[in-house]
Amino acid sequence: MRNEQIFSVHGDAELLARAGRLLESARNEFLCAARTLTTWPRPATWTTPGPDFTTRKLLTPAALTDEATRDHLRLVLGAGAQVRITDAELPHETIIIDRRVMILAGREAPAGREYSVTTSKNMIDGVHSLFDAMWNRSADYTTYLATDTPHLNPESRAILEALSTGLTDASAARRLDVSLRTYRRRVADLMVTLQAASRFQAGLRAGELGLPGR
């Protein structure tokens, strides 16, 4: 783009209408920093086009509680993308395309999230430098999962194994010699430990972490 541009849009629909072609125009590099991928519309379409293309995604641990995001991350990792997890608060949720286009996400609002789109080289270079600094201080996805493995005591592992058998709660409670109420409370505690929103997600999370009894 010869002339620098900057404009704002409100909501995902307007962003896709006015900047959708920019999101799909990446040729060399696609950078994304977000607390969760729900920040951006249609994140599942953002994969790695080819071997000479660089995709880097910087996310917070909050993104890992969503199984749809995990599926997306497995997809892009398999396509050659790089993913890192930061424990720091992201000052900007942003997408940078080929160091020529940048989209900054604002706060959620009743009318939809506001997005600022710019081709200003000075602005892009500045945010790109911030991205690189945070990227260098963050853990890659696989390493983060390995170091973030929760500790499960024998009681929790027994619950996890019971879940994997497909037994009803009543049957599982009898097998473990606890009341039905106690069994369900321990299942709920286990789901919190595994950062899972459902029993199905708990099983998937356990599998990702290499925990027995999944």
Side-chain angles (χ1 to χ4, degrees):
M1 299 180 182
R2 296 179 180 178
N3 298 319
E4 292 186 354
Q5 302 179 35
I6 182 167
F7 61 88
S8 295
V9 297
H10 289 84
D12 293 353
E14 188 177 356
L15 174 65
L16 292 174
R18 295 193 59 188
R21 61 182 178 80
L22 299 176
L23 288 170
E24 298 169 357
S25 69
R27 295 293 179 266
N28 303 302
E29 182 184 62
F30 185 97
L31 308 184
C32 174
R35 296 180 184 91
T36 69
L37 290 191
T38 57
T39 302
W40 307 105
R42 300 196 316 207
T45 63
W46 304 340
T47 56
T48 304
D52 296 327
F53 190 92
T54 299
T55 299
R56 289 192 285 164
K57 299 197 174 188
L58 182 64
L59 303 170
T60 68
L64 304 184
T65 63
D66 179 10
E67 188 55 35
T69 298
R70 288 173 177 270
D71 287 342
H72 167 70
L73 294 180
R74 284 190 285 267
L75 174 67
V76 298
L77 283 166
Q82 303 171 56
V83 178
R84 291 194 177 186
I85 308 299
T86 177
D87 288 324
E89 182 69 20
L90 289 175
H92 299 287
E93 293 184 275
T94 186
I95 284 174
I96 302 177
I97 300 169
D98 296 340
R99 296 192 74 151
R100 60 182 173 79
V101 178
M102 180 172 68
I103 304 172
L104 294 172
R107 295 182 179 276
E108 286 280 11
R113 191 188 297 269
E114 181 178 358
Y115 300 96
S116 296
V117 183
T118 183
T119 61
S120 168
K121 185 177 186 305
N122 287 337
M123 292 180 64
I124 293 173
D125 287 348
V127 177
H128 197 288
S129 295
L130 288 175
F131 182 97
D132 282 341
M134 296 195 71
W135 179 268
N136 292 334
R137 294 196 301 268
S138 303
D140 71 78
Y141 180 75
T142 302
T143 300
Y144 184 88
L145 286 183
T147 57
D148 193 43
T149 302
H151 171 71
L152 296 185
N153 58 30
E155 177 184 281
S156 296
R157 291 178 182 272
I159 295 293
L160 188 59
E161 184 175 357
L163 287 174
S164 71
T165 63
L167 294 173
T168 65
D169 285 1
S171 297
R174 286 194 297 270
R175 172 183 286 190
L176 298 176
D177 195 25
V178 297
S179 69
L180 179 60
R181 181 178 179 180
T182 297
Y183 175 78
R184 287 175 173 169
R185 176 176 57 78
R186 291 179 180 176
V187 169
D189 291 342
L190 177 64
M191 288 170 60
V192 171
T193 299
L194 294 176
Q195 298 182 342
S198 68
R199 296 185 180 195
F200 176 72
Q201 283 189 11
L204 292 175
R205 173 71 167 143
E208 285 186 335
L209 296 170
L211 298 173
R214 63 181 183 276

